[in-house]
Amino acid sequence: MAVVFFFLILLFLGVTSANEKKLRESFLKLSNPQKVHQLYKLLNVNCIWYCESEPTENLQKLQEILSSAVYHGLDPESYKLPEGIDPELATTDTFIKLAYHLYYGRARPFELYKGWAVPPKGDRVLQVLANLIKEERLKDFFYELAPKSKDYWFLVEQAKFYQNLSDFEWRPIKTAKPLRYGDKSPCLDEIRFRLFLLGDLQEYSPSESFDDLLLQGVKTFQKRHGLPENGIIDQKTLAELNISPRDRLRQIYLNLEKHRWLPEDFKRAVVVNVPSFELFLIEGGSIKLHSKVIVGRNYIQDFRPTPMLYSRIESITVNPKWYVPVSISTKDILPKVKKNPEYLTRKGFRVFHGEGEIDPLQVDWSQYNERNFPFRLVQEPGARNALGTIKFNFPNAFAVYLHDTPERHLFRHTKRAFSSGCIRVEKARQLAFAILGEGWNDRRIESLIKSGQTQALRVNPPVPIYILYFTAFERDGMLHFREDLYGYDTILSRAFFGSGGKK
């Protein structure tokens, strides 16, 4: 096959026998020989960048594209022309490589993250490139191939901003105790200037006092970083302030990459962003519903991450029973039963062993552990049920789902990593009737809940659901950053920047 493409390229380039050997060597070194051939065929030309050994205007435009690629998280150093290859072919090969990286991303998410199965975008790259060249519109390269979402382009602009900030020295700021409104400290002036550079303070004048202006700047900064907006410069706030613009720029690049993995638009979908603990129902490009969510734990001693995945919500269960996974039965419930044998009865659990149901008060729970637990626990519907009154079902390899919760107080927390991997939704009822569509409202859902009966409601057509992991995003015109809860960014950083995490 390679030989066939080689001779086709020779044909399109009008190569003489004198140059054939050199071009053969060049062809064998190309990254995408088939795509190189296809592009020349679409254009029906034999040169794009060098015609009669002279550089064309296209070459200058490509150089401008390469210099702007850095703001999309694509390092121009990765697209330098290799030596020893015919410059026309090498430039075309590099051009195609850059285009595919911009459209699909550099990393392969399905190789990095178990279960990633988002439907890939249709391949329109070569046709777009051909059109841009034919119509002399290479200046539209990024507009045509980069994600169209305003969130993506906001991050591109922020990349430019943080690239400039990277020139500032960013020494760690230290304080012996939390700083509050009214305090005085030499480091407050440094904090004030840093907040001004980051845009959280609109003006700067030297001061070592914690005044009204600084208080507002601190609260804005805390809001942008998912911290409690208490206006106190504590260790968590200081830790975020000490993250350098260069590291933030790298974080922006990682999130630009994640945008490239997604469909070009969300016509109707449920989108969960794990690091910000939020859910969105999107319809027609607009947010129809927003809800707080609780996601999987990130404790070192009890790590239960919520996975990134794509699926479709096929049904909604009202008054669900909870068929407790063995891992939760042994890790979470068994220790409570050992302390209080009446725990299961009080919480509405039924216990099954083999083919039949048994009385939990007749079991000597002290003899069981994670290795020999033979029981199946089922929690009946009701006010005590851990799934609440609504459960959203979508097939996936992780046995996770969205559900309601009786523990409403947990939504008051800023960081909400409390679950065993499933996602608890604050506005579960509103989401249910919004997904079910016409004819459904809060009153009708409430009537089904009050019946106490478990009922499955089919969602037709099924609604796509994306559980995503953005740690840098736009909100109300401001750039927000969030913690890398599960180390998913670290995994991507190694693939994107190498083991050192640097470009």
Side-chain angles (χ1 to χ4, degrees), residues 225-414:
H225 293 78
L227 301 171
E229 297 170 49
N230 54 23
I232 300 171
I233 304 175
D234 52 18
Q235 289 305 308
K236 288 185 178 179
T237 301
L238 207 55
E240 295 291 336
L241 270 169
N242 282 332
I243 295 176
S244 72
R246 191 169 299 279
D247 286 336
R248 288 302 191 195
L249 180 61
R250 216 169 281 131
Q251 189 173 351
I252 291 170
Y253 289 162
L254 295 177
N255 285 274
L256 285 167
E257 173 76 355
K258 293 175 212 170
H259 276 286
R260 294 190 274 266
W261 302 342
L262 298 176
E264 296 194 65
D265 60 73
F266 293 108
K267 293 179 180 176
R268 187 171 194 244
V270 171
V271 178
V272 175
N273 187 38
V274 171
S276 63
F277 313 103
E278 294 175 293
L279 174 148
F280 305 90
L281 174 61
I282 297 175
E283 291 190 0
S286 299
I287 297 172
K288 183 173 181 180
L289 182 143
H290 169 262
S291 176
K292 295 178 181 178
V293 298
I294 293 166
V295 302
R297 301 171 200 173
N298 70 330
Y299 315 147
I300 294 175
Q301 69 278 15
D302 190 13
F303 190 62
R304 308 188 198 183
T306 295
M308 289 189 289
L309 61 83
Y310 161 82
S311 186
R312 299 194 305 165
I313 299 174
E314 297 180 342
S315 66
I316 297 172
T317 304
V318 179
N319 297 320
K321 294 183 179 182
W322 183 29
Y323 297 87
V324 187
V326 174
S327 60
I328 295 178
S329 295
T330 55
K331 287 181 180 179
D332 299 339
I333 297 177
L334 183 58
K336 296 174 182 176
V337 178
K338 287 181 177 180
K339 290 181 181 178
N340 179 7
E342 295 184 354
Y343 174 85
L344 292 172
T345 304
R346 184 161 48 85
K347 290 290 186 177
F349 287 97
R350 298 170 66 187
V351 181
F352 295 86
H353 184 260
E355 297 297 321
E357 183 176 358
I358 62 174
D359 182 352
L361 295 177
Q362 301 302 313
V363 176
D364 179 8
W365 296 101
S366 64
Q367 65 178 307
Y368 296 106
N369 54 46
E370 293 183 22
R371 294 183 299 277
N372 66 353
F373 192 82
F375 307 107
R376 302 188 311 280
L377 305 183
V378 179
Q379 191 177 32
E380 290 297 301
R384 299 165 296 185
N385 189 285
L387 306 185
T389 56
I390 303 283
K391 175 173 172 273
F392 302 83
N393 308 299
F394 46 92
N396 63 88
F398 305 92
V400 300
Y401 39 83
L402 307 181
H403 64 86
D404 185 20
T405 176
E407 297 183 297
R408 313 298 296 176
H409 65 282
L410 294 177
F411 290 110
R412 294 199 296 266
H413 292 265
T414 305

Side-chain angles (χ1 to χ4, degrees), residues 1-7 9-10 20-34 36 82-86 89-90 93:
M1 180 63 73
V3 173
V4 172
F5 279 110
F6 168 62
F7 283 112
I9 285 177
L10 294 183
E20 184 177 321
K21 181 179 179 183
K22 180 180 178 183
L23 283 171
R24 183 188 295 112
E25 292 172 352
S26 295
F27 173 78
L28 295 174
K29 294 178 182 178
L30 295 179
S31 302
N32 299 287
Q34 295 93 334
V36 168
E83 296 181 1
I85 299 182
D86 175 78
L89 291 180
D93 196 42

